[in-house]
Amino acid sequence: MEEKLLVVENLTTSFHLQNGWFSAIEDLSFTLSSNETLALVGESGCGKSVTAYSIMNLLPKPGSRIDRGSVLFHGKDLVGLPEAEMRSLRGSKLAMIFQEPMTSLNPALTVGQQIAEVLYYHNGTSKKEALKGALELLDQVKIPAAATRLNDYPHHLSGGMRQRVMIAMALAGRPEIMLADEPTTALDVTIQAQVLALLDDLKRELKMSMIFITHDMGVVARVADRVAVMYGGYLAEVAPVENLFANPVHPYTEALLKSVPRLDRDINDLNPIPGLVPSIDRMPKGCRFAERCEHKIDVCEQQMPDLTSISDAGNHSVRCWVRGAQATSNGESQA
Amino acid sequence: MLKYVLKRLAMAIPILIAVLTLVFVIIRIVPGDPAMVVLGDQASAEALAALRTKMGLDVPLIQQYFTFLFGAFRGDLGASLLSGRPVLSEVMTVLPYTIDLTIAGVVIGIVFGVPLGVLTAVYRNSVTDYIIRVFSLFGLSFPAFYSAILLILIFSIQFNLFPVISDPDLSNYGERMNHLVLPAVNLGLIMVAYITRSTRSSMLEVLREDYVRTAKAKGVPRFVVITRHALKNALIPIVTVIGLYLGVLIGNSVLTEIVFNRPGLGKLILDALSERDYTLLQGVMVIYAFIIVIVNLITDLTYGFVDPRVKHQ
């Protein structure tokens, strides 16, 4: 059996709102293998980012907590790990890049200083050596004239360049897992493509695993090996990327794919999903997608279905009363 | 940088002209004849006229204005009516005392205010936060003259640690410092309170920024996240506040100097007022305006050091 680098089991994270604690992600279980890219997909507010912050132990405190579950990294549970130990993993073995390159870099420190810092604190290199390392990293993320950029401040750089700096910073600790939280959402389309290509190259080159958070199905098709579709804090469907696009089973996945505009189809075929993701303090009792679902039956509004495997290979799972049962009874399998 | 400083100093000239004009007008509006003030209301008409000629008050107002203006730019602010000495040298004799006091007050304010502000922000809504906030509110609402009297009662009279009257010989360094402690603490308390409060709010804002989250995600030690990443950015508004409150501080230094009977600009103003020494009064006001202009310039220059986005061009 291939080695699982990261095993997330029954992870439940809650946030404190005015009228109590509410779970933002619930009973989340998935795995990540070496060299694999897992895409976490879903609408805003479905818990994608909370998942990443829970893994990194970067949840805003006070105001949020992990209620249950475990995050096993090389078999070691990151939940409840002492802060000092967690800190030595953050930025080295586990790195994260964020959505907003404009605000995620410190305006008062030079690009070089911000990258060198990672080397200085994690590898114990001298400040001078660390700056040299920063220069190499800037080269690696293909920033032109890297030597002159080293002393630039973030406000001298464009959005795409800043995101490259963020990536260089994340790479500095030679991470095994890179968590990318919508890294291209804030960028222009042409720059998006460049940054995606860069991430893809680096991932291969450095043999990293990646958790790629996005709501963009086009990006998913490009970068992901496997896809986990999230809705209302639950996993709705997990499948290899080809299976998911060829044969979406969960009504939400289906709807999500139908809502992507495509050049080869009439604009009138575009089917937006009616309604919004309910906020975490107003979640329905049963299946959280039920009120927006075209296929719902009585049981959907009563009880949450389990995530069940529907393929012989065991790599396609879905959480749906209607489709899950159909798929299993038909003996449908995803090759 | 040098070009920027020169440009800013050149820009100060119209401000100073405006201040000089204002001072000139106000002094003329105030009822009363300066000559009569000096000589008393029993003086003979001849004596008054002679004095007016000597003071330059017999020429047309517009001529007086330009004499005053050009004099001021040559550094000649006239002579004190009372002592007859040049106003500028009167000011220069006491200026070191006020500068000592103000700088000491600001230093105390920064040294205690910034760390306390950071503590309250990092441990917001904790017991530490509440205690420090109550004390800083105390510091803000305490009148300077009252806290000065309390300090004297406790540390000078009860414990006999520091002199009651602060009138040091400036050439004796030890004495200079010893006399400075209580007035500086009195002035510093207010500054600590101001700086603590503004540091707290500025830090609270910065701690929510994305780049602080980035720093945490990099695995940088917490202390470094708070100082290098958060505080460095939080300092920008704090510098503004310090610059603004320096004006308040100079105002409070007047009260402090009076209570401690300490020589300085504050006491000079008080004396000029009570003796109706118009020329001295207008001279000191001009000097104050000049100091405020310089302080603002220093504040603006400091931005360049704390915020790389500010370029002095």
Side-chain angles (χ1 to χ4, degrees), chain A residues 53 87 90-91 98 103-104 106-108 114 117-118 121-122 155 169, chain B residues 210-211 213-214 216-220 224 228-229 232-233 308-309:
Chain A
Y53 290 131
R87 198 177 60 227
R90 260 189 235 127
F98 300 95
T103 54
S104 293
N106 192 327
Q114 296 189 54
E117 203 174 38
V118 182
Y121 286 108
H122 285 299
H155 68 274
M169 236 157 60
Chain B
D210 287 348
Y211 52 79
R213 182 187 60 191
T214 308
K216 284 184 198 156
K218 284 198 286 190
V220 171
V224 179
R228 186 169 144 111
H229 288 272
K232 196 160 183 225
N233 284 287
R309 284 164 296 190

PDB file of all heavy atoms in Angstrom, chain A residues 53 87 90-91 98 103-104 106-108 114 117-118 121-122 155 169, chain B residues 210-211 213-214 216-220 224 228-229 232-233 308-309:
ATOM      1  N   TYR A  53      -6.495  25.812   7.661  1.00  0.00           N
ATOM      2  CA  TYR A  53      -6.047  26.425   8.915  1.00  0.00           C
ATOM      3  C   TYR A  53      -6.034  25.417  10.050  1.00  0.00           C
ATOM      4  O   TYR A  53      -5.177  25.487  10.934  1.00  0.00           O
ATOM      5  CB  TYR A  53      -6.934  27.620   9.280  1.00  0.00           C
ATOM      6  CG  TYR A  53      -6.737  28.790   8.346  1.00  0.00           C
ATOM      7  CD1 TYR A  53      -7.825  29.440   7.770  1.00  0.00           C
ATOM      8  CD2 TYR A  53      -5.463  29.242   8.032  1.00  0.00           C
ATOM      9  CE1 TYR A  53      -7.641  30.504   6.897  1.00  0.00           C
ATOM     10  CE2 TYR A  53      -5.274  30.295   7.172  1.00  0.00           C
ATOM     11  CZ  TYR A  53      -6.364  30.924   6.601  1.00  0.00           C
ATOM     12  OH  TYR A  53      -6.173  31.973   5.747  1.00  0.00           O
ATOM     13  N   ARG A  87       5.278  24.856  15.543  1.00  0.00           N
ATOM     14  CA  ARG A  87       5.948  25.965  14.874  1.00  0.00           C
ATOM     15  C   ARG A  87       7.145  25.471  14.054  1.00  0.00           C
ATOM     16  O   ARG A  87       7.444  26.003  12.995  1.00  0.00           O
ATOM     17  CB  ARG A  87       6.398  27.005  15.896  1.00  0.00           C
ATOM     18  CG  ARG A  87       6.694  28.351  15.248  1.00  0.00           C
ATOM     19  CD  ARG A  87       7.075  29.386  16.263  1.00  0.00           C
ATOM     20  NE  ARG A  87       8.261  28.980  16.982  1.00  0.00           N
ATOM     21  CZ  ARG A  87       8.386  29.030  18.295  1.00  0.00           C
ATOM     22  NH1 ARG A  87       7.412  29.459  19.035  1.00  0.00           N
ATOM     23  NH2 ARG A  87       9.495  28.632  18.870  1.00  0.00           N
ATOM     24  N   ARG A  90       5.621  24.226  10.839  1.00  0.00           N
ATOM     25  CA  ARG A  90       5.075  25.286   9.995  1.00  0.00           C
ATOM     26  C   ARG A  90       6.198  26.005   9.265  1.00  0.00           C
ATOM     27  O   ARG A  90       7.188  26.404   9.872  1.00  0.00           O
ATOM     28  CB  ARG A  90       4.374  26.324  10.867  1.00  0.00           C
ATOM     29  CG  ARG A  90       2.889  26.168  10.909  1.00  0.00           C
ATOM     30  CD  ARG A  90       2.306  27.373  11.610  1.00  0.00           C
ATOM     31  NE  ARG A  90       1.472  26.959  12.715  1.00  0.00           N
ATOM     32  CZ  ARG A  90       1.586  27.391  13.954  1.00  0.00           C
ATOM     33  NH1 ARG A  90       2.528  28.244  14.275  1.00  0.00           N
ATOM     34  NH2 ARG A  90       0.777  26.970  14.879  1.00  0.00           N
ATOM     35  N   GLY A  91       6.006  26.187   7.985  1.00  0.00           N
ATOM     36  CA  GLY A  91       7.032  26.904   7.229  1.00  0.00           C
ATOM     37  C   GLY A  91       8.179  26.011   6.816  1.00  0.00           C
ATOM     38  O   GLY A  91       8.965  26.385   5.965  1.00  0.00           O
ATOM     39  N   PHE A  98      -1.238  31.970   0.368  1.00  0.00           N
ATOM     40  CA  PHE A  98      -2.566  32.528   0.607  1.00  0.00           C
ATOM     41  C   PHE A  98      -3.152  33.182  -0.633  1.00  0.00           C
ATOM     42  O   PHE A  98      -2.482  33.408  -1.635  1.00  0.00           O
ATOM     43  CB  PHE A  98      -2.506  33.551   1.739  1.00  0.00           C
ATOM     44  CG  PHE A  98      -2.036  32.963   3.026  1.00  0.00           C
ATOM     45  CD1 PHE A  98      -0.693  33.032   3.380  1.00  0.00           C
ATOM     46  CD2 PHE A  98      -2.914  32.319   3.870  1.00  0.00           C
ATOM     47  CE1 PHE A  98      -0.246  32.474   4.559  1.00  0.00           C
ATOM     48  CE2 PHE A  98      -2.474  31.756   5.047  1.00  0.00           C
ATOM     49  CZ  PHE A  98      -1.137  31.837   5.394  1.00  0.00           C
ATOM     50  N   THR A 103      -1.910  41.614   0.289  1.00  0.00           N
ATOM     51  CA  THR A 103      -1.897  41.910   1.723  1.00  0.00           C
ATOM     52  C   THR A 103      -1.157  40.862   2.543  1.00  0.00           C
ATOM     53  O   THR A 103      -0.998  41.028   3.742  1.00  0.00           O
ATOM     54  CB  THR A 103      -3.335  42.015   2.262  1.00  0.00           C
ATOM     55  OG1 THR A 103      -4.033  40.819   1.903  1.00  0.00           O
ATOM     56  CG2 THR A 103      -4.055  43.201   1.682  1.00  0.00           C
ATOM     57  N   SER A 104      -0.714  39.796   1.891  1.00  0.00           N
ATOM     58  CA  SER A 104      -0.104  38.714   2.660  1.00  0.00           C
ATOM     59  C   SER A 104       1.392  38.889   2.882  1.00  0.00           C
ATOM     60  O   SER A 104       2.000  38.132   3.614  1.00  0.00           O
ATOM     61  CB  SER A 104      -0.359  37.373   1.977  1.00  0.00           C
ATOM     62  OG  SER A 104      -1.731  37.078   2.022  1.00  0.00           O
ATOM     63  N   ASN A 106       4.549  41.343   4.195  1.00  0.00           N
ATOM     64  CA  ASN A 106       4.729  42.434   5.141  1.00  0.00           C
ATOM     65  C   ASN A 106       5.259  43.686   4.434  1.00  0.00           C
ATOM     66  O   ASN A 106       6.333  43.651   3.844  1.00  0.00           O
ATOM     67  CB  ASN A 106       5.712  41.994   6.229  1.00  0.00           C
ATOM     68  CG  ASN A 106       5.733  42.947   7.397  1.00  0.00           C
ATOM     69  OD1 ASN A 106       5.546  44.145   7.237  1.00  0.00           O
ATOM     70  ND2 ASN A 106       5.939  42.420   8.580  1.00  0.00           N
ATOM     71  N   PRO A 107       4.499  44.804   4.488  1.00  0.00           N
ATOM     72  CA  PRO A 107       4.913  45.992   3.742  1.00  0.00           C
ATOM     73  C   PRO A 107       6.177  46.646   4.294  1.00  0.00           C
ATOM     74  O   PRO A 107       6.809  47.439   3.594  1.00  0.00           O
ATOM     75  CB  PRO A 107       3.712  46.937   3.876  1.00  0.00           C
ATOM     76  CG  PRO A 107       2.983  46.464   5.079  1.00  0.00           C
ATOM     77  CD  PRO A 107       3.225  44.990   5.170  1.00  0.00           C
ATOM     78  N   ALA A 108       6.569  46.310   5.514  1.00  0.00           N
ATOM     79  CA  ALA A 108       7.695  47.005   6.130  1.00  0.00           C
ATOM     80  C   ALA A 108       9.011  46.235   6.015  1.00  0.00           C
ATOM     81  O   ALA A 108      10.034  46.690   6.505  1.00  0.00           O
ATOM     82  CB  ALA A 108       7.387  47.298   7.594  1.00  0.00           C
ATOM     83  N   GLN A 114      12.038  38.742   4.063  1.00  0.00           N
ATOM     84  CA  GLN A 114      10.897  37.877   4.377  1.00  0.00           C
ATOM     85  C   GLN A 114      11.151  36.428   3.988  1.00  0.00           C
ATOM     86  O   GLN A 114      10.667  35.514   4.648  1.00  0.00           O
ATOM     87  CB  GLN A 114       9.626  38.398   3.693  1.00  0.00           C
ATOM     88  CG  GLN A 114       9.243  39.759   4.239  1.00  0.00           C
ATOM     89  CD  GLN A 114       7.877  40.221   3.768  1.00  0.00           C
ATOM     90  OE1 GLN A 114       6.886  39.524   3.914  1.00  0.00           O
ATOM     91  NE2 GLN A 114       7.810  41.415   3.223  1.00  0.00           N
ATOM     92  N   GLU A 117      14.087  34.936   6.341  1.00  0.00           N
ATOM     93  CA  GLU A 117      13.608  34.633   7.681  1.00  0.00           C
ATOM     94  C   GLU A 117      13.303  33.142   7.873  1.00  0.00           C
ATOM     95  O   GLU A 117      13.620  32.550   8.904  1.00  0.00           O
ATOM     96  CB  GLU A 117      12.336  35.446   7.908  1.00  0.00           C
ATOM     97  CG  GLU A 117      11.999  35.698   9.329  1.00  0.00           C
ATOM     98  CD  GLU A 117      10.816  36.635   9.425  1.00  0.00           C
ATOM     99  OE1 GLU A 117       9.889  36.518   8.603  1.00  0.00           O
ATOM    100  OE2 GLU A 117      10.821  37.481  10.297  1.00  0.00           O
ATOM    101  N   VAL A 118      12.687  32.560   6.851  1.00  0.00           N
ATOM    102  CA  VAL A 118      12.332  31.137   6.943  1.00  0.00           C
ATOM    103  C   VAL A 118      13.602  30.292   7.097  1.00  0.00           C
ATOM    104  O   VAL A 118      13.674  29.402   7.943  1.00  0.00           O
ATOM    105  CB  VAL A 118      11.555  30.688   5.688  1.00  0.00           C
ATOM    106  CG1 VAL A 118      11.158  29.230   5.808  1.00  0.00           C
ATOM    107  CG2 VAL A 118      10.331  31.558   5.477  1.00  0.00           C
ATOM    108  N   TYR A 121      15.227  30.873  10.643  1.00  0.00           N
ATOM    109  CA  TYR A 121      14.607  30.265  11.819  1.00  0.00           C
ATOM    110  C   TYR A 121      14.479  28.747  11.727  1.00  0.00           C
ATOM    111  O   TYR A 121      14.425  28.064  12.738  1.00  0.00           O
ATOM    112  CB  TYR A 121      13.236  30.894  12.109  1.00  0.00           C
ATOM    113  CG  TYR A 121      13.372  32.266  12.694  1.00  0.00           C
ATOM    114  CD1 TYR A 121      13.052  33.397  11.950  1.00  0.00           C
ATOM    115  CD2 TYR A 121      13.874  32.441  13.986  1.00  0.00           C
ATOM    116  CE1 TYR A 121      13.210  34.665  12.482  1.00  0.00           C
ATOM    117  CE2 TYR A 121      14.035  33.700  14.520  1.00  0.00           C
ATOM    118  CZ  TYR A 121      13.704  34.813  13.772  1.00  0.00           C
ATOM    119  OH  TYR A 121      13.879  36.053  14.303  1.00  0.00           O
ATOM    120  N   HIS A 122      14.412  28.219  10.494  1.00  0.00           N
ATOM    121  CA  HIS A 122      14.224  26.770  10.403  1.00  0.00           C
ATOM    122  C   HIS A 122      15.526  26.012  10.193  1.00  0.00           C
ATOM    123  O   HIS A 122      15.700  24.919  10.698  1.00  0.00           O
ATOM    124  CB  HIS A 122      13.237  26.431   9.285  1.00  0.00           C
ATOM    125  CG  HIS A 122      11.822  26.723   9.665  1.00  0.00           C
ATOM    126  ND1 HIS A 122      11.194  26.118  10.728  1.00  0.00           N
ATOM    127  CD2 HIS A 122      10.907  27.583   9.151  1.00  0.00           C
ATOM    128  CE1 HIS A 122       9.968  26.568  10.845  1.00  0.00           C
ATOM    129  NE2 HIS A 122       9.768  27.475   9.904  1.00  0.00           N
ATOM    130  N   HIS A 155       5.583  46.639  -2.083  1.00  0.00           N
ATOM    131  CA  HIS A 155       4.816  47.600  -2.879  1.00  0.00           C
ATOM    132  C   HIS A 155       5.479  47.906  -4.213  1.00  0.00           C
ATOM    133  O   HIS A 155       4.874  48.539  -5.069  1.00  0.00           O
ATOM    134  CB  HIS A 155       4.560  48.879  -2.085  1.00  0.00           C
ATOM    135  CG  HIS A 155       5.788  49.700  -1.806  1.00  0.00           C
ATOM    136  ND1 HIS A 155       6.599  49.468  -0.721  1.00  0.00           N
ATOM    137  CD2 HIS A 155       6.338  50.725  -2.480  1.00  0.00           C
ATOM    138  CE1 HIS A 155       7.591  50.326  -0.737  1.00  0.00           C
ATOM    139  NE2 HIS A 155       7.469  51.101  -1.788  1.00  0.00           N
ATOM    140  N   MET A 169       8.760  31.889  -0.544  1.00  0.00           N
ATOM    141  CA  MET A 169       8.787  31.822   0.915  1.00  0.00           C
ATOM    142  C   MET A 169       8.335  30.451   1.400  1.00  0.00           C
ATOM    143  O   MET A 169       8.898  29.872   2.319  1.00  0.00           O
ATOM    144  CB  MET A 169       7.828  32.880   1.456  1.00  0.00           C
ATOM    145  CG  MET A 169       8.450  33.827   2.401  1.00  0.00           C
ATOM    146  SD  MET A 169       7.500  35.344   2.450  1.00  0.00           S
ATOM    147  CE  MET A 169       5.932  34.769   2.977  1.00  0.00           C
TER     148      MET A 169
ATOM    149  N   ASP B 210      -3.226  40.214   7.167  1.00  0.00           N
ATOM    150  CA  ASP B 210      -2.857  38.963   6.503  1.00  0.00           C
ATOM    151  C   ASP B 210      -1.380  38.632   6.674  1.00  0.00           C
ATOM    152  O   ASP B 210      -1.007  37.477   6.811  1.00  0.00           O
ATOM    153  CB  ASP B 210      -3.169  39.055   5.002  1.00  0.00           C
ATOM    154  CG  ASP B 210      -4.663  38.977   4.733  1.00  0.00           C
ATOM    155  OD1 ASP B 210      -5.403  38.634   5.676  1.00  0.00           O
ATOM    156  OD2 ASP B 210      -5.073  39.261   3.599  1.00  0.00           O
ATOM    157  N   TYR B 211      -0.519  39.668   6.663  1.00  0.00           N
ATOM    158  CA  TYR B 211       0.911  39.357   6.702  1.00  0.00           C
ATOM    159  C   TYR B 211       1.343  38.845   8.069  1.00  0.00           C
ATOM    160  O   TYR B 211       2.372  38.180   8.184  1.00  0.00           O
ATOM    161  CB  TYR B 211       1.767  40.555   6.269  1.00  0.00           C
ATOM    162  CG  TYR B 211       1.483  41.847   6.963  1.00  0.00           C
ATOM    163  CD1 TYR B 211       1.971  42.097   8.235  1.00  0.00           C
ATOM    164  CD2 TYR B 211       0.738  42.831   6.345  1.00  0.00           C
ATOM    165  CE1 TYR B 211       1.720  43.291   8.864  1.00  0.00           C
ATOM    166  CE2 TYR B 211       0.480  44.035   6.964  1.00  0.00           C
ATOM    167  CZ  TYR B 211       0.964  44.260   8.226  1.00  0.00           C
ATOM    168  OH  TYR B 211       0.703  45.444   8.860  1.00  0.00           O
ATOM    169  N   ARG B 213      -0.564  36.720   9.713  1.00  0.00           N
ATOM    170  CA  ARG B 213      -0.903  35.313   9.530  1.00  0.00           C
ATOM    171  C   ARG B 213       0.190  34.616   8.713  1.00  0.00           C
ATOM    172  O   ARG B 213       0.604  33.499   9.034  1.00  0.00           O
ATOM    173  CB  ARG B 213      -2.243  35.228   8.799  1.00  0.00           C
ATOM    174  CG  ARG B 213      -2.741  33.811   8.598  1.00  0.00           C
ATOM    175  CD  ARG B 213      -3.968  33.814   7.721  1.00  0.00           C
ATOM    176  NE  ARG B 213      -3.677  34.392   6.413  1.00  0.00           N
ATOM    177  CZ  ARG B 213      -4.611  34.725   5.511  1.00  0.00           C
ATOM    178  NH1 ARG B 213      -5.877  34.580   5.805  1.00  0.00           N
ATOM    179  NH2 ARG B 213      -4.268  35.223   4.344  1.00  0.00           N
ATOM    180  N   THR B 214       0.679  35.298   7.671  1.00  0.00           N
ATOM    181  CA  THR B 214       1.764  34.726   6.864  1.00  0.00           C
ATOM    182  C   THR B 214       2.979  34.429   7.739  1.00  0.00           C
ATOM    183  O   THR B 214       3.584  33.365   7.633  1.00  0.00           O
ATOM    184  CB  THR B 214       2.179  35.699   5.742  1.00  0.00           C
ATOM    185  OG1 THR B 214       1.014  36.075   5.021  1.00  0.00           O
ATOM    186  CG2 THR B 214       3.178  35.060   4.806  1.00  0.00           C
ATOM    187  N   LYS B 216       3.079  33.831  10.900  1.00  0.00           N
ATOM    188  CA  LYS B 216       2.810  32.656  11.735  1.00  0.00           C
ATOM    189  C   LYS B 216       2.956  31.383  10.908  1.00  0.00           C
ATOM    190  O   LYS B 216       3.506  30.391  11.362  1.00  0.00           O
ATOM    191  CB  LYS B 216       1.392  32.728  12.300  1.00  0.00           C
ATOM    192  CG  LYS B 216       1.237  33.707  13.436  1.00  0.00           C
ATOM    193  CD  LYS B 216      -0.185  33.611  13.985  1.00  0.00           C
ATOM    194  CE  LYS B 216      -0.546  34.836  14.795  1.00  0.00           C
ATOM    195  NZ  LYS B 216      -1.995  35.043  14.850  1.00  0.00           N
ATOM    196  N   ALA B 217       2.443  31.439   9.668  1.00  0.00           N
ATOM    197  CA  ALA B 217       2.495  30.251   8.807  1.00  0.00           C
ATOM    198  C   ALA B 217       3.929  29.892   8.440  1.00  0.00           C
ATOM    199  O   ALA B 217       4.213  28.766   8.070  1.00  0.00           O
ATOM    200  CB  ALA B 217       1.674  30.478   7.543  1.00  0.00           C
ATOM    201  N   LYS B 218       4.843  30.876   8.544  1.00  0.00           N
ATOM    202  CA  LYS B 218       6.243  30.599   8.249  1.00  0.00           C
ATOM    203  C   LYS B 218       6.955  29.925   9.408  1.00  0.00           C
ATOM    204  O   LYS B 218       8.102  29.526   9.284  1.00  0.00           O
ATOM    205  CB  LYS B 218       6.979  31.916   7.936  1.00  0.00           C
ATOM    206  CG  LYS B 218       6.682  32.462   6.564  1.00  0.00           C
ATOM    207  CD  LYS B 218       7.729  33.468   6.126  1.00  0.00           C
ATOM    208  CE  LYS B 218       7.578  34.784   6.836  1.00  0.00           C
ATOM    209  NZ  LYS B 218       8.439  35.843   6.239  1.00  0.00           N
ATOM    210  N   GLY B 219       6.281  29.863  10.554  1.00  0.00           N
ATOM    211  CA  GLY B 219       6.904  29.239  11.709  1.00  0.00           C
ATOM    212  C   GLY B 219       7.905  30.133  12.411  1.00  0.00           C
ATOM    213  O   GLY B 219       8.820  29.660  13.075  1.00  0.00           O
ATOM    214  N   VAL B 220       7.727  31.451  12.280  1.00  0.00           N
ATOM    215  CA  VAL B 220       8.589  32.411  12.962  1.00  0.00           C
ATOM    216  C   VAL B 220       8.171  32.452  14.436  1.00  0.00           C
ATOM    217  O   VAL B 220       6.984  32.383  14.742  1.00  0.00           O
ATOM    218  CB  VAL B 220       8.414  33.794  12.297  1.00  0.00           C
ATOM    219  CG1 VAL B 220       9.100  34.867  13.091  1.00  0.00           C
ATOM    220  CG2 VAL B 220       8.912  33.759  10.872  1.00  0.00           C
ATOM    221  N   VAL B 224       8.931  37.257  17.561  1.00  0.00           N
ATOM    222  CA  VAL B 224       9.341  37.904  16.309  1.00  0.00           C
ATOM    223  C   VAL B 224       8.106  38.327  15.510  1.00  0.00           C
ATOM    224  O   VAL B 224       8.102  39.392  14.886  1.00  0.00           O
ATOM    225  CB  VAL B 224      10.239  36.956  15.485  1.00  0.00           C
ATOM    226  CG1 VAL B 224      10.658  37.602  14.186  1.00  0.00           C
ATOM    227  CG2 VAL B 224      11.458  36.558  16.293  1.00  0.00           C
ATOM    228  N   ARG B 228       8.828  42.174  15.038  1.00  0.00           N
ATOM    229  CA  ARG B 228       9.313  42.471  13.693  1.00  0.00           C
ATOM    230  C   ARG B 228       8.173  42.612  12.683  1.00  0.00           C
ATOM    231  O   ARG B 228       8.209  43.469  11.815  1.00  0.00           O
ATOM    232  CB  ARG B 228      10.258  41.343  13.268  1.00  0.00           C
ATOM    233  CG  ARG B 228      10.955  41.548  11.956  1.00  0.00           C
ATOM    234  CD  ARG B 228      12.041  40.480  11.857  1.00  0.00           C
ATOM    235  NE  ARG B 228      12.212  39.995  10.514  1.00  0.00           N
ATOM    236  CZ  ARG B 228      13.292  40.243   9.777  1.00  0.00           C
ATOM    237  NH1 ARG B 228      14.233  40.985  10.262  1.00  0.00           N
ATOM    238  NH2 ARG B 228      13.404  39.743   8.575  1.00  0.00           N
ATOM    239  N   HIS B 229       7.160  41.764  12.809  1.00  0.00           N
ATOM    240  CA  HIS B 229       6.110  41.792  11.797  1.00  0.00           C
ATOM    241  C   HIS B 229       4.970  42.742  12.165  1.00  0.00           C
ATOM    242  O   HIS B 229       4.515  43.514  11.328  1.00  0.00           O
ATOM    243  CB  HIS B 229       5.575  40.387  11.537  1.00  0.00           C
ATOM    244  CG  HIS B 229       6.558  39.541  10.783  1.00  0.00           C
ATOM    245  ND1 HIS B 229       6.611  39.514   9.427  1.00  0.00           N
ATOM    246  CD2 HIS B 229       7.547  38.732  11.216  1.00  0.00           C
ATOM    247  CE1 HIS B 229       7.589  38.703   9.036  1.00  0.00           C
ATOM    248  NE2 HIS B 229       8.183  38.217  10.116  1.00  0.00           N
ATOM    249  N   LYS B 232       6.443  46.691  13.918  1.00  0.00           N
ATOM    250  CA  LYS B 232       7.103  47.545  12.936  1.00  0.00           C
ATOM    251  C   LYS B 232       6.066  48.291  12.079  1.00  0.00           C
ATOM    252  O   LYS B 232       6.257  49.452  11.737  1.00  0.00           O
ATOM    253  CB  LYS B 232       8.033  46.702  12.047  1.00  0.00           C
ATOM    254  CG  LYS B 232       8.997  47.578  11.307  1.00  0.00           C
ATOM    255  CD  LYS B 232      10.229  46.869  10.806  1.00  0.00           C
ATOM    256  CE  LYS B 232      11.117  47.911  10.151  1.00  0.00           C
ATOM    257  NZ  LYS B 232      11.682  47.528   8.896  1.00  0.00           N
ATOM    258  N   ASN B 233       4.980  47.610  11.753  1.00  0.00           N
ATOM    259  CA  ASN B 233       3.929  48.268  10.987  1.00  0.00           C
ATOM    260  C   ASN B 233       3.043  49.140  11.858  1.00  0.00           C
ATOM    261  O   ASN B 233       2.524  50.153  11.402  1.00  0.00           O
ATOM    262  CB  ASN B 233       3.067  47.224  10.271  1.00  0.00           C
ATOM    263  CG  ASN B 233       3.781  46.655   9.061  1.00  0.00           C
ATOM    264  OD1 ASN B 233       3.904  47.333   8.062  1.00  0.00           O
ATOM    265  ND2 ASN B 233       4.271  45.441   9.167  1.00  0.00           N
ATOM    266  N   PRO B 308       8.709  52.037   4.666  1.00  0.00           N
ATOM    267  CA  PRO B 308       9.477  52.107   3.421  1.00  0.00           C
ATOM    268  C   PRO B 308       8.666  52.682   2.262  1.00  0.00           C
ATOM    269  O   PRO B 308       9.224  53.057   1.244  1.00  0.00           O
ATOM    270  CB  PRO B 308       9.837  50.651   3.155  1.00  0.00           C
ATOM    271  CG  PRO B 308       8.876  49.848   3.933  1.00  0.00           C
ATOM    272  CD  PRO B 308       8.528  50.665   5.131  1.00  0.00           C
ATOM    273  N   ARG B 309       7.325  52.728   2.398  1.00  0.00           N
ATOM    274  CA  ARG B 309       6.522  53.250   1.303  1.00  0.00           C
ATOM    275  C   ARG B 309       6.597  54.773   1.218  1.00  0.00           C
ATOM    276  O   ARG B 309       6.226  55.365   0.226  1.00  0.00           O
ATOM    277  CB  ARG B 309       5.059  52.820   1.464  1.00  0.00           C
ATOM    278  CG  ARG B 309       4.847  51.380   1.082  1.00  0.00           C
ATOM    279  CD  ARG B 309       3.539  50.875   1.595  1.00  0.00           C
ATOM    280  NE  ARG B 309       3.502  50.880   3.046  1.00  0.00           N
ATOM    281  CZ  ARG B 309       2.537  50.316   3.747  1.00  0.00           C
ATOM    282  NH1 ARG B 309       1.531  49.737   3.157  1.00  0.00           N
ATOM    283  NH2 ARG B 309       2.579  50.334   5.060  1.00  0.00           N
TER     284      ARG B 309
END
